[in-house]
Structure formats: structure tokens, C-alpha cells
């Protein structure tokens, strides 16, 4: 048997607890689940919150179509089963981040209440913060930055949320952002304020 | 339009880069992929490395059966396709952690070279560190902490790696740990030393 090369490594209590990680990071881990129609501003708000947290010395991440659809969920299409599985996996990954003390911001339409509630249910109380981007359909459709609504109206995208598939609004979200009347910067500031006021930006023992 | 509530939130460059996150954490993100037979010490070594990094003020996480098989990959069984998908997803999740600057330690048998090489291939050079826990089968079988080898020998577990299914050793792993002759504390210290010597424990700009 060789001797330990680092005095920092001992066999006792080899498991770093979540609270220890959170204390180190000076924050509490959580899933911040943004939901809303296409073009309601989810990715933009998530990135603005992420940026604001970084500037405050906090550790967060953004999970959105860019890094999930072409990676972890590249095997999934858009069938009902695959959409369901898409949201399930994202909820599990966000939970893994939260358990390491990270504030994980997710930005997916996630139109079904059941899918979102299931993701809430795998988390402890307070670990899942649902953020509803309440943006009128006509405003989203007018923005249409990627031309998706136009394609959906033309019948080129089947089962498009808000056009040919339902969006089930959250019943009791922690935060509601009116992104049709408030700009994304103001919306992001509301999320940061919620995190601040509810103790997510302090170490758990403080 | 409301005014921003926080002067820290601006629309410009809302994307926090990986390097900015790494600079904040004082380290470089990476996947540290531990592979080896059942009972070769993967989870223990991963947790010891995680602990040592935490004590040095670094941010890491452990992905292993405990938090993956009952969460993200609860839908997967042990068919060849499911084992393959299990390893693929873990590689993608570790990559997400690495991209946020975290050192992600994974502890799975991952017996197939092709699966591991595929996970390496989705990462940039230097982002995937393969750690081979080279432990003789008879030593693993003698340890058998969960009685799995006994069950496999009794025919109660089909396709058990090392008994009735192959283990394909890495050809060019970054690190080889001889966990049959060196204890887990010494093995963990070797991984930490590798990370130290190769700049993973410093901010990228230092």
C-alpha cells in the first residue's frame, strides 16, 4: 500500500454533502424552471439571470435547446412520448446541478402541466422554482424571431404550441413574468430579486 | 417597459462564457471518466477525489449509479442498447458540468471501449480524462462488497462484466490506477496530482 500523497485525502466521510458545496459557493442550489410559449423570452431571460448571478459571484448554468437538443436529447424527436421524455431528462439534469449547489436555469416551452409538476415532484420543497413567462400569443407571434409561428400557421410544423397544440399555464408558479409588457431585462431582475429575497443567494448556514 | 431593477443586468453579451465561469471557480472544467471492473474502487476513488478537491476550494461532482440509475436513467435496463444509452447520457451530462467549469467525476464500469471513446469524442481535447482502475479480477471478486460476483457465478446475473461479459481495457488512458496493489486513498491522490500538474486546478488565464 502506498502512502497518501495528499494529506487532504482521508477515508473518513468521503462524501461531500450538498450543504458543504452550497456553503463553499455561498448560495443554495435550485432548479429555476422557465416555461412559456415560443418567443416569450425564456432563453433570453435565463441568460440574463445567469449573467447577473455570475456578476454577483454566484454559480449558475443555463440548460436550453442549444445544449440539450444536440447533446443529451439528440435521440429524441417530437412525438408526445419523446417530448415527455425530453422534459423528464432536463428535470433530472437540473436536479443533479442543484444537488451540487448550482442554480440551474432551464428554458423550454414545456407546455404540459403534468410534465412540469412531475419535475417539481422529484425535488425537495424549495428546490424547484417555476417561472411562468406569461406572454400573449399575438405578441409572441408578432416577434417570431425564427419564423416558427409563420411556418406553423402554414401547416409546416405540426403540433406547434399555441397554434395547433395546447399550452397549459402553471396554476401556482413561484414567479410570473409578463414578458409582453415588461422587457427581458426587467423580467430577469424579478427572478434575481426572488432568489435574493428567498435566500438562494446566501450560504445555507448564514 | 419597466426599468431594470438591477444595474447588473444588461442586454449586451448576456452569455457567460465557459472561461469566465472557470476563472471565477479558479479551475478548468473536465470530465474525469473512471472505468474498471465492479469492485475495482471507482465510486470510492471518485468520492475521495471529490472530497480532496472540495477541501482545496474546487468545485466538482460525482456521477455514479446512486444518482443516475434512479434518476436520469431510471428508464434504462441492462440490454446492450440500454447500457450503451446509459453511458452516452452520462457522457453528455458530464460534458454539461464541464462546460460550466465543474470537474465531473463519473464512476461506471463502462466496459466497452467504443462507448468510452464516443464520450471522449464529444469533448474538446483535454476535456476528457480517462482513468483506468486496473484491478485484477480475482481481487475484485474477493472483495465483492455487494455479493454481485457470487450471484454472477451462480448464474443469477446475466452478462456480468468480467464473469460472463467482456471488459475492454482502455488503450491510452490518461491515468492508470492499480487499485489491487494501491489503496484508494493513494489512487485518489494520483488523480488529484494529475489534475494539479495539468493545470485543471488553476483558472485558465493564470
Amino acid at each position: 500500500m502506498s502512502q497518501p500523497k495528499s494529506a487532504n485525502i482521508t477515508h473518513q466521510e468521503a462524501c461531500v454533502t450538498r450543504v458543504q458545496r452550497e456553503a463553499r459557493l455561498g448560495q443554495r442550489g435550485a432548479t429555476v424552471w422557465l416555461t412559456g410559449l415560443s418567443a416569450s423570452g425564456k432563453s433570453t431571460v435565463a441568460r440574463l439571470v445567469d449573467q447577473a448571478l455570475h456578476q454577483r459571484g454566484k454559480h449558475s448554468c443555463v440548460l436550453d435547446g442549444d445544449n440539450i437538443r444536440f447533446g443529451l436529447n439528440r435521440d429524441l424527436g417530437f412525438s408526445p412520448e419523446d417530448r415527455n421524455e425530453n422534459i423528464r431528462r432536463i428535470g433530472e439534469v437540473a436536479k443533479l446541478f442543484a444537488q451540487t449547489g448550482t442554480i440551474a436555469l432551464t428554458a423550454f416551452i414545456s407546455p404540459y402541466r403534468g410534465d412540469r409538476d412531475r419535475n417539481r415532484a422529484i425535488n425537495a420543497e424549495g428546490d424547484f422554482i417555476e417561472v411562468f413567462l406569461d406572454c400573449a400569443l399575438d405578441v409572441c407571434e408578432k416577434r417570431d424571431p425564427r419564423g416558427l409561428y409563420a411556418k406553423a400557421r402554414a401547416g409546416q410544423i405540426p403540433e406547434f404550441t399555441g397554434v395547433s397544440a395546447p399550452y397549459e399555464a402553471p396554476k401556482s408558479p413561484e414567479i410570473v413574468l409578463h414578458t409582453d409588457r415588461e422587457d427581458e431585462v426587467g423580467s430577469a431582475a424579478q427572478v434575481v430579486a426572488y432568489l435574493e429575497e428567498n435566500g438562494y443567494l446566501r450560504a445555507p448556514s448564514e
Side-chain angles (χ1 to χ4, degrees), chain A:
Chain A
M1 294 285 188
S2 70
Q3 289 303 306
K5 291 179 182 168
S6 164
N8 283 332
I9 300 183
T10 61
H11 246 301
Q12 301 302 313
E13 297 174 22
C15 193
V16 182
T17 67
R18 173 172 171 172
V19 168
Q20 288 175 320
R21 295 187 208 276
E22 291 178 327
R24 169 66 46 72
L25 293 170
Q27 63 187 49
R28 278 175 55 199
T31 296
V32 179
W33 190 276
L34 278 64
T35 173
L37 295 171
S38 181
S40 61
K42 298 180 296 301
S43 272
T44 303
V45 170
R47 291 187 182 282
L48 288 166
V49 173
D50 183 47
Q51 184 191 43
L53 293 177
H54 182 78
Q55 289 173 344
R56 290 179 62 153
K58 305 303 173 185
H59 187 61
S60 50
C61 71
V62 175
L63 302 175
D64 65 9
D66 287 348
N67 55 21
I68 293 292
R69 272 282 179 193
F70 298 100
L72 177 66
N73 292 354
R74 71 171 66 206
D75 58 318
L76 300 177
F78 293 90
S79 71
E81 296 73 22
D82 279 9
R83 288 172 187 266
N84 182 285
E85 174 66 5
N86 181 52
I87 298 302
R88 186 192 72 81
R89 288 189 203 167
I90 295 159
E92 292 285 0
V93 171
K95 181 183 173 185
L96 289 170
F97 274 100
Q99 286 177 331
T100 64
T102 306
I103 296 170
L105 303 146
T106 69
F108 297 87
I109 298 173
S110 50
Y112 297 109
R113 199 175 291 132
D115 290 348
R116 298 189 305 266
D117 287 350
R118 186 182 48 178
N119 283 353
R120 180 188 291 274
I122 63 170
N123 285 282
E125 179 79 24
D127 282 2
F128 187 87
I129 301 163
E130 192 172 17
V131 183
F132 175 32
L133 280 74
D134 188 3
C135 186
L137 176 62
D138 62 329
V139 175
C140 293
E141 194 157 357
K142 199 171 173 186
R143 292 176 182 164
D144 204 14
R146 291 182 291 164
L148 297 175
Y149 283 97
K151 283 186 182 172
R153 292 288 179 197
Q156 292 164 27
I157 305 176
E159 298 195 67
F160 192 80
T161 300
V163 174
S164 46
Y167 177 80
E168 300 174 356
K171 285 186 173 170
S172 306
E174 277 75 5
I175 306 172
V176 179
L177 304 174
H178 296 281
T179 50
D180 45 6
R181 359 185 247 269
E182 176 167 62
D183 73 4
E184 290 143 334
V185 169
S187 294
Q190 281 190 55
V191 177
V192 174
Y194 178 92
L195 295 173
E196 171 88 61
E197 289 159 15
N198 289 276
Y200 291 94
L201 306 187
R202 296 192 298 275
S205 55
E206 285 180 37

